[in-house]
Amino acid sequence: MDELLRFLLTESPAPVSLGSIEDWWTQHLRLASRFSLPVDVAFAGGFAADRLGYAFASGYHSALRSLFPALPFERRYALCVTEARGGHPSAMDTRLTGAGDGPLRLEGTKAFITLGTAADELLVVASEGQDVQGRNRLRLVRIDSRRPGVTLTELPPTPFVPEVPHAELRLHEVEVAPAEVLPGDGYERYVKPFRTVEDCHVFAAVLGWLIQVARRSGWPDEVREELLALAVTMRGLAQSEPASPAVHLALSGALDLFRARVDGLGTLWERVDAPTCERWERDRLLLNVAGKVRAKRRETARQKLITPG
């Protein structure tokens, strides 16, 4: 913790201009070699970013490394879940077929993959059939993005954080070794907790970015210290059990405090350079993505933990 706080408080707040996703990756790699915890890399990546989009990229990549600690930090990853009918387990039409010790095969399409065209490896959710209740039995498969049968097509830029690439993925008879199928249920063990892990790490990166903006723009000490306090809270949540209802409630409260702090910045943005302000107004919509999912997660946690009386 001390090393991270020193970084956020003493590192130069003048960010290097990042002209591409490759520039971001070079900077992210340097920071990933400096900090051991993925959440600290998220904070540092956000602090060093010259815009919210690259802060988000550091948070997203750090979230994947937190959920999959065996992944080497030197490679870029993308989680491939969403299909034409959505991201619910019942919407998964991508198939993992084959049996025994021989090669398995992936077949299907993923509609929207963050960092897709920039990824070295893909983490693909696929169904290996249905259980007796007719529900998809999902697995997670780790494959190289350049494997034969893998086609990534870049999608048009999104209205906010357009610097972050997204892609459609098509899989046609992609051979998979049994060792590339990760253990456990693909949804319950990986996709479901990732929603919480991603929130913790992406908002950590956003806080790192805001602390940088606050320092170089001369925001009041009290504002900077409140942002630091939120950073310490988010860091603790990022290292907690992502399936815990108590963690879900604490995270919901922390995000409420974050939004209140951001909404209260008001005229302080007048002290910030024009390009940063313009990008912020465009990109802050990122913070509202998955709002319905967060609200449902909070309500479910309340039902599990809070009873009358």
Side-chain angles (χ1 to χ4, degrees), residues 7 10 33 134-135 175 193 235 241 247 278-280 305:
F7 178 91
T10 64
S33 66
R135 298 172 300 190
E175 288 197 4
R235 187 178 189 268
E241 169 52 55
V247 170
E278 291 168 5
R279 286 194 292 258
W280 166 250
L305 292 177

Side-chain angles (χ1 to χ4, degrees), residues 125-145:
V125 180
S127 172
E128 60 177 4
Q130 296 181 328
D131 62 19
V132 293
Q133 284 81 35
R135 298 172 300 190
N136 265 336
R137 292 187 289 113
L138 299 180
R139 305 298 300 271
L140 195 72
V141 184
R142 177 183 171 186
I143 59 171
D144 192 285
S145 64

Side-chain angles (χ1 to χ4, degrees), residues 48-230:
D50 68 340
R51 63 198 70 190
L52 198 61
Y54 294 132
F56 165 77
S58 284
Y60 175 80
H61 189 268
S62 297
L64 286 173
R65 285 197 56 237
S66 178
L67 188 64
F68 303 94
L71 295 180
F73 75 83
E74 299 93 345
R75 291 174 69 77
R76 291 172 288 192
Y77 306 95
L79 184 62
C80 310
V81 180
T82 305
E83 300 197 4
R85 296 191 295 121
H88 190 272
S90 62
M92 298 295 111
D93 292 323
T94 298
R95 291 288 182 262
L96 176 67
T97 60
D101 297 329
L104 308 171
R105 283 180 171 77
L106 277 174
E107 188 81 28
T109 301
K110 298 293 182 180
F112 190 84
I113 302 167
T114 301
L115 283 183
T117 51
D120 300 306
E121 294 188 28
L122 306 173
L123 301 162
V124 182
V125 180
S127 172
E128 60 177 4
Q130 296 181 328
D131 62 19
V132 293
Q133 284 81 35
R135 298 172 300 190
N136 265 336
R137 292 187 289 113
L138 299 180
R139 305 298 300 271
L140 195 72
V141 184
R142 177 183 171 186
I143 59 171
D144 192 285
S145 64
R146 294 169 294 276
R147 183 164 299 179
V150 174
T151 303
L152 285 163
T153 303
E154 187 162 358
L155 297 172
T158 52
F160 47 88
V161 296
E163 302 88 355
V164 179
H166 297 82
E168 179 190 69
L169 169 66
R170 293 185 180 275
L171 302 157
H172 179 60
E173 296 185 355
V174 179
E175 288 197 4
V176 176
E180 293 175 320
V181 181
L182 277 62
D185 184 278
Y187 185 79
E188 291 294 330
R189 184 163 178 176
Y190 305 108
V191 176
K192 191 174 180 180
F194 183 69
R195 294 169 179 170
T196 299
V197 175
E198 183 181 29
D199 272 353
C200 290
H201 288 75
V202 166
F203 278 90
V206 175
L207 280 164
W209 182 79
L210 282 171
I211 290 168
Q212 173 239 106
V213 173
R215 285 186 54 208
R216 66 182 169 89
S217 304
W219 290 359
D221 290 342
E222 293 80 3
V223 173
R224 288 187 263 177
E225 289 157 9
E226 286 181 19
L227 292 172
L228 279 174
L230 284 168

